[in-house]
Structures are given as C-alpha cells and as structure tokens.
C-alpha cells in the first residue's frame, strides 16, 4: 500500500495535504513520523497521574498534528478530548 492508498483507506484528503506540504515525499515522511509521536502517551500519562495540564497538552498537540496531516477523524476525537481536558 502506498501513501495515497493509505489516505484513501482512512478517508483522509491526500490531495489537500499534498497542496499544503508541496511534495509526496514530505507527506510520506511526516505521515511516517506520526507513528513516533508522543502526544498519545502524554494524554495517557496525564490521565493516569490526574494531571489535566499534561493530558490537555498531549491532546492539543495531537489535534494539531492530525490537522496538519489531514487525519480528520482523529483530529475530531483529539479536539473533543482537548475540550474534556480543559481547553477550547
């Protein structure tokens, strides 16, 4: 599966992301780097510790990354989680 097929499978708009990033190689590079993003772990750690600020920062960061990469479904969930953790 190539990067375009991956975006199609998850219902994301590859062409929109490509327009913003400018090249297929950049889209692929940043999409693959998403796998190493620590935002989700930050959310989990914040919740486990009862630390709303850490959970909020993790959700906020994840929301931004998802927006930039065109992961609209995960963006929506991240935005909801950010609101729950204490921010708009």
């Amino acid at each position: 599966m190539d990067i375009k097929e991956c975006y199609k499978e998850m219902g994301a708009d590859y062409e929109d992301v490509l327009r913003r990033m400018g090249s297929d190689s950049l889209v692929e590079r940043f999409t693959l780097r998403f796998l190493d993003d620590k935002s989700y772990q930050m959310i989990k750690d914040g919740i486990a510790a009862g630390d709303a600020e850490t959970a909020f920062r993790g959700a906020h960061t994840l929301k931004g990354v998802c927006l930039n990469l065109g992961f609209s479904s995960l963006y929506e969930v991240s935005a909801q989680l950010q609101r729950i953790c204490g921010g708009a």
Side-chain angles (χ1 to χ4, degrees):
M1 172 183 296
D2 70 15
I3 193 73
K4 290 178 188 178
E5 292 169 326
C6 180
Y7 267 76
K8 183 177 178 179
E9 283 292 316
M10 67 179 158
D13 187 348
Y14 180 80
E15 295 303 320
D16 180 55
V17 176
L18 179 60
R19 275 190 295 279
R20 284 187 277 114
M21 290 196 181
S23 74
D24 292 313
S25 63
L26 277 178
V27 176
E28 185 169 351
R29 185 169 71 189
F30 283 106
T31 299
L32 291 174
R33 286 181 64 188
F34 177 77
L35 299 173
D36 296 323
D37 186 81
K38 305 294 185 220
S39 303
Y40 179 67
Q41 187 62 50
M42 242 176 123
I43 296 166
K44 288 174 44 176
D45 292 347
I47 290 171
D51 181 353
E53 176 63 28
T54 297
F56 171 82
R57 276 196 335 264
H60 178 75
T61 301
L62 184 61
K63 181 181 83 166
V65 170
C66 291
L67 184 63
N68 288 331
L69 292 174
F71 300 166
S72 53
S73 296
L74 188 52
Y75 165 80
E76 292 297 330
V77 173
S78 302
Q80 290 174 7
L81 188 54
Q82 180 187 351
R83 284 190 292 276
I84 290 168
C85 292

